[in-house]
């Protein structure tokens, strides 16, 4: 009588896939020259003097190899999970399939050694360059994040999993909190590592967020939900209090 759910890390801890990250085309760059990311910063500790941990290099979400790998992995996991969901349905207990959370706070993070914002390789894959930059650098990188989430969830949905049971997982800094204590030298999109609330939405999934206490978090969630028709959402990580 215990419901079963799955939480898939889409891109953070891929150190064992040396076949992927040893290819510079699959690793994000910190400038237009293609300087590879030294590692992804993890700001998991807070407060004065908080330590910044390092994760493997930031994945380039729209490289051809990564997109192919995501498609294969989504199909593999989707078929296996859907087979289990069908077994629950036969037992007349479909409610015991809680769903799938796709992603571990999906974002384009910052470079570990330099703190620079990443995403230049993804931008180059979209046809941009130093001589021909996008009109809005932040918005273009937000599109990269949203399309990566959608690529994952599309594979799961095509394998038979209901989009009503698939959730994204992003973590955003509320606008009210940003106005109070955000870094004034950064844009709101940069502060959110190009994953504001809007990128959590897609055709093949419901939105999901980390919901740690911060002023205005739920206001932002419900403001974004109001722009969509009949969309539920999930708290994928965090506390149950604001």
């Amino acid at each position: 009588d215990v419901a079963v759910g799955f939480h898939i890390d889409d891109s953070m801890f891929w150190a064992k896939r040396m076949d992927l990250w040893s290819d510079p085309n699959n690793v994000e760059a910190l400038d237009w020259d293609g300087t590879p990311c030294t590692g992804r910063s993890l700001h998991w500790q807070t407060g004065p003097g908080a330590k910044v941990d390092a994760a493997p290099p930031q994945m380039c979400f729209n490289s051809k190899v990564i997109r192919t790998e995501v498609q294969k992995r989504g199909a593999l996991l989707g078929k296996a999970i859907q087979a289990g969901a069908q077994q629950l349905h036969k037992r007349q207990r479909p409610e015991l399939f809680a769903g799938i959370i796709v992603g571990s706070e999906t974002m384009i993070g910052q470079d570990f050694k330099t703190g620079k914002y990443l995403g230049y390789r993804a931008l180059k894959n979209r046809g941009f360059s130093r001589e021909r930059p996008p009109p809005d650098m932040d918005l273009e990188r937000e599109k990269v994040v949203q399309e990566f989430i959608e690529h994952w969830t599309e594979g799961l949905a095509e394998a038979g999993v209901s989009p009503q049971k698939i959730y994204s997982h992003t973590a955003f800094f509320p606008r009210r909190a940003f106005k109070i204590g955000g870094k004034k030298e950064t844009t709101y999109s940069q502060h959110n590592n190009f994953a504001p609330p809007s990128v959590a939405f897609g055709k093949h999934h419901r939105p999901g967020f980390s919901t740690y206490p911060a002023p205005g978090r739920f206001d932002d969630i419900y403001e974004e939900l109001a722009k969509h028709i009949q969309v539920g959402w999930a708290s994928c990580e965090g506390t149950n209090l604001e």
Side-chain angles (χ1 to χ4, degrees), residues 54-70:
Q58 171 71 50
M59 181 183 291
C60 177
F61 288 158
N62 62 3
S63 84
K64 290 183 179 179
V65 172
I66 292 297
R67 286 184 60 83
T68 298
E69 189 68 21
V70 167

Side-chain angles (χ1 to χ4, degrees), residues 49-101:
K51 179 185 176 182
V52 178
D53 295 313
Q58 171 71 50
M59 181 183 291
C60 177
F61 288 158
N62 62 3
S63 84
K64 290 183 179 179
V65 172
I66 292 297
R67 286 184 60 83
T68 298
E69 189 68 21
V70 167
Q71 187 175 23
K72 291 192 295 185
R73 185 59 59 89
L76 175 69
L77 294 172
K79 290 177 182 177
I81 293 172
Q82 178 59 12
Q86 289 174 340
Q87 288 296 319
L88 288 173
H89 186 78
K90 290 179 180 178
R91 296 172 187 171
Q92 298 183 338
R93 299 302 305 274
E95 74 280 4
L96 292 184
F97 173 41
I100 310 172
I101 297 171

Side-chain angles (χ1 to χ4, degrees), residues 17-171:
R17 293 302 305 270
M18 187 175 179
D19 58 316
L20 296 178
W21 61 259
S22 61
D23 182 350
N25 292 315
N26 299 328
V27 176
E28 260 309 338
L30 50 88
D31 53 36
W32 287 118
D33 295 323
T35 305
C37 169
T38 62
R40 176 175 158 184
S41 295
L42 297 180
H43 298 271
W44 283 354
Q45 299 182 32
T46 59
K51 179 185 176 182
V52 178
D53 295 313
Q58 171 71 50
M59 181 183 291
C60 177
F61 288 158
N62 62 3
S63 84
K64 290 183 179 179
V65 172
I66 292 297
R67 286 184 60 83
T68 298
E69 189 68 21
V70 167
Q71 187 175 23
K72 291 192 295 185
R73 185 59 59 89
L76 175 69
L77 294 172
K79 290 177 182 177
I81 293 172
Q82 178 59 12
Q86 289 174 340
Q87 288 296 319
L88 288 173
H89 186 78
K90 290 179 180 178
R91 296 172 187 171
Q92 298 183 338
R93 299 302 305 274
E95 74 280 4
L96 292 184
F97 173 41
I100 310 172
I101 297 171
V102 182
S104 183
E105 297 185 338
T106 310
M107 63 179 75
I108 298 177
Q110 292 172 259
D111 182 59
F112 178 68
K113 289 186 178 180
T114 67
K116 290 185 176 181
Y117 290 98
L118 303 165
Y120 288 86
R121 193 171 303 282
L123 292 175
K124 292 185 75 172
N125 289 342
R126 293 173 74 85
F128 299 105
S129 63
R130 179 185 285 110
E131 296 73 27
R132 185 180 172 273
D136 189 329
M137 289 276 290
D138 289 352
L139 179 61
E140 206 64 38
R141 283 179 280 193
E142 290 173 17
K143 291 178 181 178
V144 170
V145 176
Q146 188 171 34
E147 288 173 3
F148 180 71
I149 295 171
E150 183 73 12
H151 192 50
W152 258 106
T153 61
E154 181 180 19
L156 293 166
E158 288 181 348
V161 181
S162 168
Q164 303 297 313
K165 292 283 191 175
I166 305 174
Y167 298 89
S168 59
H169 179 198
T170 63

